[in-house]
Every structure is written in structure tokens, then in C-alpha cells.
Amino acid sequence: MSDVPVTTDLTFALDWRHGLGARGAFFAAVAAGRLIGARCPACGATVVPPRARCGNDATLMVPVDLPPAGKIRQLTLGAPSALARGDAGCVFALVQVEGADNSLLTRITGAAAVGARVTLAPATGEVIHPAQHLVFAVTPAH
Amino acid sequence: MTTNFPVILGSGLVPFRRYRDGSGWRDWAALASDAALADAQIARAGIDMVIVANESDMLAMQLSPGPLLVDDIGLAGVPVMRVEAGGGSGGAALRAGVAQIMSGLARRVLLLGFEQAASHMPAATVRALYGLSFDADLEGWAGATATMLYALSVQDHMARFGTTMAQLARVSVKNHGNACLNPDAHSPLGLTVADVLASPMVSTPYRRLDCSLLSDGAAAVILAHPDAAPRRIDRPLTQITGSGCATDRARLGDRPAPGVFAGKQRAADRAYAMAGITDPARQIEVAEVYDSYTGAEVQGLEALRLAPPGGAVARLADGIYDRDGPLPVNLSGGLIGQGGAPGATGLAQVVAVSRLLEGRYHPGLQPARPLRRGLVDCHGGLASVTYTHVLERLEA
């Protein structure tokens, strides 16, 4: 469109101190191998990650510990974005966490398949965001 | 003419492309605005409100683009607001324009959508940015991509209704094919289902030809209160008779049926109620449906009640949504064929449907029969926020 194309190559690196606020406890627990959810005292719904108000009735929820295990509901295999860290592979899945009514999007290691049982196996390497600890591993069949 | 529902005076589009000619979003926005003003045959002074739509300051490298654009296009002094709703940003602009006019705040509104999404950043950077469109803290920073989330959603649809990838591939064949007759399209391709199924895997089960592509581009639409619309004898005008917006649960895993676009259904129901539509599959005659992925078009058709739940693929196979079918869908090519410049996409849909209703769309895509009523539908996130509008032809 321009008569004389003019372009310039720019680099703009940004540094943040990102506050995780109310979500911080969940991520800290994940890094320690635990899973925190929330239960609604009104309707009984239990969800993970925890949220302040129930998605069904907006009642204030209370935190609950959940078993760090579940079952793969759906999975997809593809290249993670450039933000990903670690060697957890290329599988992301919706995991039906035991005791929760919803599913959690998480990275999966091991021989993933729909219906496979998985357990929380937090990434231990260097991460740039605590969400990168959130990895489930396929539980070996006995 | 119905009450104070806004009419479309004119529109303009800068073809969706990957521009490597040194131009940028300010150029495209100005070109689209000029084209819309010329098409409307009104003077700049006739515009009393501008609504700007674009998705990301990170893509434009410009914060607060509204006042800058208004100045660029010769409308300094005119009120401006900027709206953002991801890929639904253009729909958000349309709804905001409808509200401005119906409330009496404005008489003639320029809607201006743009995005520089294809030409200036490495693909991996853009992919990482778009991964932040969902729950950034939980999903985007973990490395999940938009394609992964859509892939997980469509798998629920496949499990729920038995949908197959071969059935979904017909969307890609249809939309790329329509794009062959649209000179503004980014991806005109003559394809077969086998071509789609043989294209490289991106994120199972989605392959490259199931995915829309990101484009550069801009689109502009001028709305007016019916009392502020100049009489025209050369062509009919289009009126916005229904506007609906709704949200869904932001995280896919929180949705009881992750493969069903429940928020889109609510948005459509609101638009239909406003327009007095009771049987959309019979009363809507042409539609532009947000097809970021092949499955998204199918899921969208069902949420919009243009097909029964799980029934869109059968109608697709029967040719219902084909160019010469009874309800052509995405004659422009949609995002898959025409391309997707997120801030402009929803307005490009309006350009297509309004011109189809007015009988002046691209030769080869304009059906021979007159069209009276159409629909435009776009969304942000994973149909996390949807904007649905009903458009109707007004006779000259």
C-alpha cells in the first residue's frame, strides 16, 4: 500500500511482577503435590480450582482438599505454546478430578488415553509461572 | 421500517491478507473508513460517534487506538469508544452501535474494526499470545493453545453425537471453496475431504485445514437511526432487527457439556426474541457463522438453532449450507476461507450479509433468489462471549 515500504524490526521485552491473589493458594498447593478445590455450602457443588463464588448460585464457597487424582475425560496432542516450560510433553487433557463436579485442564505425562487414571505429579524443574507445575501423570496399571 | 432499529448506510473492507508491503493497521483502518463513507454516500460531518474494535494492544503495539484513529480519518472531535471481545470484537462494536442509536446517544455511528495479526510477529509468538485468551493463569501460562481448547471441545461433541472428522472436513471444503469466489479472501482453495484429512496435524483431532488462519485487515460499517438515513433509490438498505449477547463459563472444564456452545445459544435466543424470530432454521436465509475451526461452525450452527443438536453435519452433507443450498453459511468463506482479522471479523461478517441482502455481493456468491433475512455470529474465547445479530432487508 505504501509507495516506499518502510519497516523496522522491534523487540519489546516486558517484566512483570504478577499477583496471583486468591488463586495463589491453589498453585502453592499444586507445587507441593496437593489439590485444593472449593465446595458450595448451598448446592454442594465441588470444583477445582477453587473459586470465590459458586458458578451455580453465586454463594461464597469454602476451600476443600481433594484427592490429587482423577480420570482423563478428553485429551489433545499438540505442540504447546512458547510459554510452556519443562519436559512434560505435548498432551493436554480435561481431567475429571475425584470428588469434583467439573474438569481441570492440565498437562499429562505418560501413556495418555481417554479414561486413563492420572495422579498429580507436579513439575519440578524451573518454571516461569506456577501453572507450569500443574502436571498429572498416567497412573501405571497394576 | 421497524421503529428505531438502526439501518446500515454503507460498509467497507480491506481484504484480509498477510500484508508484507510496509502497510499497517492505521492504513487499513483509514481505507476501510473511506470505503464505508463512500458506500454510504454521506459526508464525514454526518458521523457523530465512532466505535473502534480490536483485540489486542500487543498486536497493534498501540494503547488506546480510538482517539488516534479518529484523528487519522479526519473525525477529530467526534466521540469514540473502543470495544474488545476477542474474535467477537466486531460483534461487540455492532451491539454497541445499536445501543448508541437506539438509546438516542448518536444518530450515525462509524464502526471500525482492525487487526494486525498475521504479518508482523513470529507465528509462535502470536500462538502464545492467543493462548492467553482463556484463563491465562491456569491454561495459557501452562502452554495450552487456542487450538488445544477447541480440540478438547469438539471431542466432547464427537463423543456426544458421533461426529467424525470426515464430516467436519466438509466445512473446510465448503468455506475454502466459497473463498475462491471472494476476491477479498485470504485462503481460496479448491479442496476435497481427503485433502483436509491428510493435512498436517496441529492438535488432535484438528489438522491444519480444520483451522482458520489469522489475517491482517480492517472493516467498517456505518449505522444510522432510520430518521437519519438518506433515502436511496439505487438499492435497498439493511436494518439490524435483533441483537443478542451472552457469556458462557470461561473455563471449558466448568461447562457441563464442553462440546455444546450454551452461551452462543443464549445470545442467539436473545437476538431472535428481539427480531421476532420463532423458527430460525426456516426464517434465517443466509448466515455468517464464526468458524475459527471446522467444528466451531458445526457447534455454532446447532447453538444458533440452524440445526438440531448433533444434526449440523447431516445437513452439511445434504448441501443445506452450500452456496446453492437453502441456507448458505459463510458465503464469504468465513474465517477459514476469508480469513480472520479478529477485531474486523465481526464487521466483515456484516459487510457480507448486508450486501447479500441488498443483492450486491460478489458475483458467483450472490444467490439468484432475493434474500430477506440474515444472521451474523461471532465470539471471543471458546464461545465464551458471543454476539449474534439479525439483519433484514428494507426495500428501497
Side-chain angles (χ1 to χ4, degrees):
Chain A
M1 289 182 185
S2 307
D3 293 336
V4 182
V6 177
T7 61
T8 182
D9 294 327
L10 302 172
T11 299
F12 187 13
L14 301 172
D15 296 312
W16 280 270
R17 172 152 295 173
H18 180 51
L20 288 160
R23 291 157 295 283
F26 169 76
F27 287 117
V30 165
R34 296 188 300 112
L35 211 50
I36 299 175
R39 181 169 291 129
C40 174
C43 72
T46 301
V47 297
V48 59
R51 48 187 297 150
R53 291 190 181 273
C54 177
N56 298 328
D57 51 34
T59 301
L60 282 171
M61 301 187 86
V62 294
V64 292
D65 285 320
L66 291 171
K71 198 168 67 173
I72 294 179
R73 186 173 170 183
Q74 267 103 31
L75 66 86
T76 183
L77 173 64
S81 84
L83 297 177
R85 290 293 181 276
D87 56 358
C90 300
V91 175
F92 281 74
L94 285 176
V95 168
Q96 182 73 57
V97 172
E98 290 176 13
D101 297 311
N102 65 340
S103 301
L104 180 66
L105 182 75
T106 175
R107 214 165 167 186
I108 302 288
T109 59
V114 171
R117 184 175 158 75
V118 291
T119 52
L120 180 62
T124 54
E126 183 182 355
V127 300
I128 56 173
H129 188 290
Q132 293 162 0
H133 288 300
L134 186 59
V135 178
F136 278 66
V138 175
T139 310
H142 295 293
Chain B
M1 189 175 295
T2 307
T3 63
N4 60 343
F5 290 159
V7 297
I8 295 173
L9 296 186
S11 59
L13 181 76
V14 170
F16 288 1
R17 295 281 187 273
R18 176 168 296 186
Y19 286 104
R20 297 194 183 280
D21 59 358
S23 64
W25 58 270
R26 291 171 67 173
D27 304 304
W28 312 327
L31 287 169
S33 302
D34 287 349
L37 285 161
D39 189 47
Q41 296 184 0
I42 63 169
R44 267 164 225 280
I47 300 293
D48 59 5
M49 177 73 199
V50 178
I51 298 172
V52 168
N54 76 302
E55 179 167 17
S56 177
D57 298 346
M58 291 184 181
L59 296 172
M61 284 303 285
Q62 171 71 51
L63 280 66
S64 191
L68 179 69
L69 281 180
V70 166
D71 195 6
D72 274 357
I73 63 177
L75 288 172
V78 173
V80 66
M81 62 185 284
R82 180 255 188 108
V83 296
E84 186 282 317
S89 296
L94 180 59
R95 185 169 166 85
V98 168
Q100 287 278 327
I101 287 171
M102 293 188 74
S103 69
L105 278 173
R107 300 274 289 168
R108 287 173 176 168
V109 180
L110 169 65
L111 313 176
L112 177 54
F114 69 89
E115 209 74 62
Q116 183 158 339
S119 62
H120 64 317
M121 276 186 180
T125 305
V126 175
R127 211 157 58 94
L129 282 177
Y130 275 96
L132 302 177
S133 301
F134 306 90
D135 184 334
D137 270 333
L138 189 70
E139 299 163 349
W141 280 102
T145 66
T147 305
M148 288 177 176
L149 288 158
Y150 275 94
L152 292 167
S153 173
V154 81
Q155 286 182 68
D156 179 77
H157 191 278
M158 296 167 78
R160 196 173 294 275
F161 300 114
T163 315
T164 68
M165 292 311 294
Q167 290 173 317
L168 296 181
R170 289 178 180 273
V171 172
S172 181
V173 173
K174 170 176 70 70
N175 294 357
H176 281 111
N178 287 343
C180 292
L181 297 170
N182 177 0
D184 297 330
H186 192 167
S187 186
L189 294 171
L191 297 174
T192 64
V193 166
D195 292 330
V196 180
L197 296 177
S199 62
M201 188 64 76
V202 178
S203 191
T204 56
Y206 275 141
R207 296 176 180 275
R208 183 172 296 163
L209 289 172
D210 287 300
C211 308
S212 62
L213 69 176
L214 286 166
S215 310
D216 302 322
V221 172
I222 297 174
L223 298 182
H225 189 280
D227 294 343
R231 287 184 60 83
R232 292 191 75 137
I233 57 171
D234 57 327
R235 68 169 197 242
L237 293 176
T238 299
Q239 189 168 37
I240 315 292
T241 57
S243 175
C245 173
T247 53
D248 201 342
R249 302 295 294 271
R251 283 190 294 269
L252 190 62
D254 287 350
R255 300 180 187 181
V260 175
F261 288 171
K264 188 179 292 288
Q265 190 167 304
R266 282 189 287 273
D269 286 349
R270 290 168 185 168
Y272 294 149
M274 185 171 167
I277 289 176
T278 54
D279 187 356
R282 290 172 58 89
Q283 292 175 274
I284 297 294
E285 298 167 24
V286 64
E288 291 281 310
V289 175
Y290 197 82
D291 59 328
S292 43
Y293 296 87
T294 50
E297 178 171 310
V298 164
Q299 292 165 284
L301 286 166
E302 293 166 8
L304 296 165
R305 304 189 193 281
L306 300 178
V313 289
R315 293 187 178 204
L316 191 66
D318 289 342
I320 302 295
Y321 310 122
D322 284 354
R323 192 156 60 236
D324 56 356
L327 172 50
V329 170
N330 288 329
L331 280 169
S332 71
L335 281 75
I336 286 174
Q338 179 167 249
T345 297
L347 295 176
Q349 293 178 323
V350 177
V351 174
V353 170
S354 62
R355 292 182 179 209
L356 283 160
L357 297 178
E358 293 159 14
R360 61 188 187 108
Y361 199 50
H362 302 297
L365 291 171
Q366 179 71 49
R369 66 183 186 282
L371 300 169
R372 197 168 68 85
R373 188 182 287 116
L375 175 141
V376 291
D377 157 74
C378 58
H379 68 239
L382 188 56
S384 307
V385 56
T386 297
Y387 296 87
T388 305
H389 288 84
V390 178
L391 281 58
E392 297 191 36
R393 185 184 72 233
L394 287 170
E395 294 307 328

